[in-house]
Amino acid sequence: MDVMGDKATLYEVGRFVQTAERDETGEAVEELRRRIAAEAGDVEAMSVLGAMLLRRGDLDGAEPQLRAATAAGDRAAANNLGVLLHQRGYAEEAAGWWRVAAVAGSAAAAHALGRHHRERGDEPAAEYWLRQSAEQGHTLGAYALADLLEHRGEDGAERWMRAAAERGHREAAYRLARALDRKAQRERRLSGDNGVKSSVLAEAEQWYRQAAARGHRRAALHLGAILERRGDIKEAGRWYLTSAKDGEARAACALGFLLRDAGDQESAADWWLRAARQGDGNAANALGALHAERGETQTAERWYRAATDAGDVNGAYNLGLLCAEQGRIAQADQWYRRAAYAGHREAANALAILLLRGGDATGAEPWFSKAAEAGSVDAAFNLGILYAGRGEDGPALRWYERAAAAGHTEAALQVGIARLREGDERTAERHLRCAAGGGSAEAAYRLAMLLDARRPPQPAHELGEPSQERNECEEWYERAASQGHRRAQVRVGMLAAARGDVVEAARWYRQAAEAGSRNGAFNLGLLLAREGSEPEAALWWTRAADAGHGRAALRLALVYARRGELADGQRWADRAVSLGPVEVAERAARLRDALRQELSA
């Protein structure tokens, strides 16, 4: 029980008006003056002298003075006598004197009496006396009433917490800020817009500031978090530092992340170490990740274990990743399971992948489902792959659509492809655009093909003719081509050739050919042949034919036939017949027969 006879309490009866602390000599003089007056029967002097001795811890000296003043009707003395008796362990007798003082109008005594009843479980009586205290403007009474109402989930808690905060109560300011902060977070979730400026959050920030300025370390931590989310990194760092120096491990951890993001890994590691030694699992996990990046796997594992022991499931997940990278599959399975059972969705997804790679598709599926239901986009996509592999296209598409809706690029591609097969070009285009915008080269290529198919036929152009205007489908072809998509590179080369840009066409054909595209090699050969470089063209046709390109084999047969190398011409003609397509095979067969007759003549 707090001492109620402090200077704040005595202000209400006008006893102490000065705010500066007296030095020891001045206090001794004041005490002597009060003692002389008390011995002369001055009730006020008895009360004040008793309070002075009580504050100093001289209970034996204080008690007779307070009893004498109480007997004379001094309510402040009655309150302080209650405090003294409470300190001696006489709770019921103390409550009796608090009741006397409270009935006489002492807000401090009403507060003390309310707390007495709450400690004994008599909440109705506690509420009555705390309300009496709060309504008289007593700060501690307002805070204690707010705490009781909040505990019971009743209305009015915020009102009285605000009243205490406005009167300078540090913990009330912090708790009011926390309540407003949570309210603002609920508003953001309901609105679905995390960027909305909230007046509730602004008020929460104001109360965090008040509490932090009064030395509340958790208020400083949460104030730093608000500022960091808003992008005020420097000020956030200052409040994190203040809180961390006061011993708040979470602030030390957060400060470490700010320093890491600023490029100061060494200072970040120092703060993480400080927080980890105080039992902060997040900081221990961060230290593990730092050492893992440096290749110090043993140290990383030690910190991941410390994080796990501190209750941070990310530590168990990262231990699983570390073990999997080292080929320690059984241990990886163990750590993934530990994190997954604790609700870590990415650990559940990783465990499912581990099981799937081990051939246990049946065991993998429920973990993929658990992760996906918990919000793992990758797990939803993986479920789509799992069902597609079984030929269950309906369930596969549903999971692909779920992952695509959450922004998964490859899932959007798969939905686009599926909708194209169904003939739903409108939906397909929407998903292909999402996937292409997310960086999928295949989606960009398929989107370009879709748009290309809608264009009216273009008149043929010979090389060297004026170029045509570029359109959207060509832009998507080029985006896919620039990402290394071989078919897109061939198509861009063809479009460049159609515009008469021989150099650009050759560049794209060559890129595709060097990446293994047989069409790119064939088209590059055609371009070189038209430019008079048939020997080099033959080299590219040879590469294309060796990769199974029938037209390239037929071109080679014609080249060798013109050179008079009939045996080689017949050999490539045979190859063209076997490769096709039909019209190529028919032409190659006629050429082969002619060469055979020529050779046998």
Side-chain angles (χ1 to χ4, degrees):
M1 186 67 67
D2 293 335
V3 173
M4 304 311 303
D6 57 9
K7 284 193 284 187
T9 300
L10 295 175
Y11 283 145
E12 65 177 344
V13 292
R15 300 290 167 77
F16 292 156
V17 293
Q18 65 269 34
T19 58
E21 294 290 336
R22 297 173 179 270
D23 58 27
E24 292 183 4
T25 303
E27 286 182 359
V29 170
E30 177 66 16
E31 180 181 334
L32 179 60
R33 187 174 70 81
R34 294 290 183 180
R35 190 176 295 279
I36 292 171
E39 290 173 355
D42 188 321
V43 174
E44 179 183 343
M46 295 176 193
S47 180
V48 173
L49 177 61
M52 292 174 68
L53 295 170
L54 178 61
R55 267 198 301 276
R56 200 165 67 203
D58 185 359
L59 304 188
D60 291 337
E63 185 171 354
Q65 301 294 337
L66 293 174
R67 285 191 180 276
T70 299
D74 189 292
R75 71 177 188 186
N79 172 52
N80 289 330
L81 180 58
V83 173
L84 184 147
L85 292 168
H86 187 274
Q87 290 184 13
R88 288 191 183 278
Y90 304 125
E92 294 306 322
E93 187 180 354
W97 288 113
W98 282 328
R99 183 180 297 276
V100 168
V103 169
S106 170
H111 165 245
L113 186 58
R115 287 184 59 182
H116 169 82
H117 284 298
R118 187 175 180 187
E119 286 170 2
R120 277 149 184 76
D122 187 352
E123 291 189 356
E127 181 181 351
Y128 174 82
W129 288 111
L130 291 175
R131 195 175 293 279
Q132 293 293 317
S133 176
E135 288 176 350
Q136 291 181 66
H138 194 274
T139 302
L140 295 177
Y143 174 72
L145 177 59
D147 183 67
L148 176 62
L149 294 173
E150 186 178 276
H151 169 72
R152 290 159 60 174
E154 296 181 5
D155 294 337
E158 184 177 325
R159 171 199 167 194
W160 289 111
M161 198 70 78
R162 187 183 300 277
E166 288 172 348
R167 294 167 192 157
H169 195 288
R170 186 179 73 173
E171 186 66 23
Y174 169 70
R175 289 179 61 175
L176 177 60
R178 290 296 295 140
L180 292 167
D181 199 351
R182 287 190 289 268
K183 184 177 179 182
Q185 290 174 21
R186 288 194 297 271
E187 285 182 354
R188 286 199 299 271
R189 283 196 297 270
L190 290 173
S191 67
D193 187 354
N194 290 333
V196 174
K197 289 184 178 179
S198 167
S199 59
V200 179
L201 184 60
E203 187 182 2
E205 180 182 340
Q206 168 196 337
W207 290 114
Y208 278 138
R209 284 187 182 278
Q210 178 169 313
R214 292 174 174 269
H216 198 293
R217 69 187 192 189
R218 282 173 294 163
L221 166 67
H222 289 289
L223 176 58
I226 288 177
L227 293 166
E228 183 181 359
R229 286 196 300 268
R230 199 167 66 205
D232 295 338
I233 304 301
K234 287 187 177 179
E235 189 180 1
R238 288 197 294 271
W239 285 111
Y240 283 149
L241 180 60
T242 298
S243 180
K245 284 182 175 178
D246 285 340
E248 181 59 53
R250 289 175 296 170
C253 180
L255 181 58
F257 282 111
L258 283 190
L259 290 165
R260 181 204 62 183
D261 293 344
D264 189 354
Q265 280 199 345
E266 294 306 316
S267 296
D270 289 341
W271 284 105
W272 284 332
L273 182 60
R274 181 169 177 170
R277 286 174 173 169
Q278 290 176 265
D280 189 280
N282 192 20
N285 183 61
L287 280 172
L290 182 63
H291 287 289
E293 287 174 8
R294 294 172 177 173
E296 301 164 355
T297 55
Q298 287 186 334
T299 307
E301 183 169 344
R302 178 167 60 85
W303 282 114
Y304 286 148
R305 286 180 181 273
T308 303
D309 292 342
D312 191 297
V313 293
N314 288 315
Y317 172 58
N318 286 328
L319 271 171
L321 291 175
L322 192 66
C323 292
E325 288 172 2
Q326 296 172 346
R328 296 152 58 193
I329 304 304
Q331 289 174 286
D333 182 293
Q334 168 198 340
W335 291 114
Y336 283 150
R337 285 181 188 275
R338 181 165 176 174
Y341 279 124
H344 196 293
R345 65 192 187 192
E346 296 310 326
N349 181 57
L351 175 59
I353 292 171
L354 198 68
L355 293 168
L356 193 61
R357 287 175 178 169
D360 186 4
T362 304
E365 184 178 345
W367 285 112
F368 276 139
S369 296
K370 184 174 182 178
E373 293 296 347
S376 172
V377 180
D378 288 337
F381 177 65
N382 289 335
L383 270 175
I385 294 175
L386 192 66
Y387 282 113
R390 296 174 182 169
E392 300 177 41
D393 293 337
L397 181 57
R398 285 195 294 273
W399 283 110
Y400 283 145
E401 286 178 329
R402 183 164 177 173
H408 196 287
T409 298
E410 290 304 312
L413 169 62
Q414 293 303 319
V415 175
I417 292 171
R419 294 308 182 195
L420 275 177
R421 282 198 300 265
E422 296 170 358
D424 185 356
E425 289 191 1
R426 192 170 189 176
T427 305
E429 180 182 344
R430 178 166 55 85
H431 281 94
L432 290 175
R433 285 187 182 277
C434 289
S440 170
E442 181 66 23
Y445 174 68
R446 287 177 180 267
L447 175 61
M449 288 179 65
L450 181 62
L451 298 172
D452 205 357
R454 296 174 182 169
R455 291 194 301 163
Q458 298 292 321
H461 284 258
E462 295 294 332
L463 294 177
E465 287 191 2
S467 63
Q468 306 165 19
E469 290 185 5
R470 292 160 56 84
N471 51 51
E472 187 186 6
C473 75
E474 187 168 352
E475 291 173 359
W476 285 112
Y477 278 134
E478 286 190 0
R479 180 179 292 195
S482 65
Q483 292 175 262
H485 195 286
R486 293 182 299 177
R487 285 175 294 166
Q489 289 170 340
V490 173
R491 185 61 182 152
V492 171
M494 293 171 66
L495 292 169
R499 291 197 308 270
D501 191 342
V502 179
V503 175
E504 184 74 358
R507 181 172 74 85
W508 285 113
Y509 287 151
R510 190 177 297 276
Q511 280 193 35
E514 288 176 347
S517 169
R518 61 189 187 184
N519 285 330
F522 175 70
N523 286 1
L524 179 58
L526 289 178
L527 203 63
L528 291 166
R530 288 174 188 170
E531 294 295 306
S533 302
E534 189 174 85
E536 187 181 354
L539 293 174
W540 287 108
W541 284 332
T542 301
R543 181 180 289 194
D546 287 340
H549 199 287
R551 285 189 174 86
L554 179 56
R555 287 278 178 174
L556 285 170
L558 291 168
V559 167
Y560 283 110
R562 283 197 301 270
R563 291 177 183 174
E565 300 175 21
L566 303 184
D568 286 334
Q570 183 181 343
R571 178 170 58 83
W572 282 113
D574 279 335
R575 177 74 170 150
V577 169
S578 65
L579 292 174
V582 175
E583 67 273 13
V584 170
E586 290 174 352
R587 289 179 60 193
R590 290 194 295 270
L591 176 60
R592 179 192 62 192
D593 293 343
L595 291 173
R596 185 177 295 158
Q597 288 177 4
E598 185 70 23
L599 284 168
S600 61

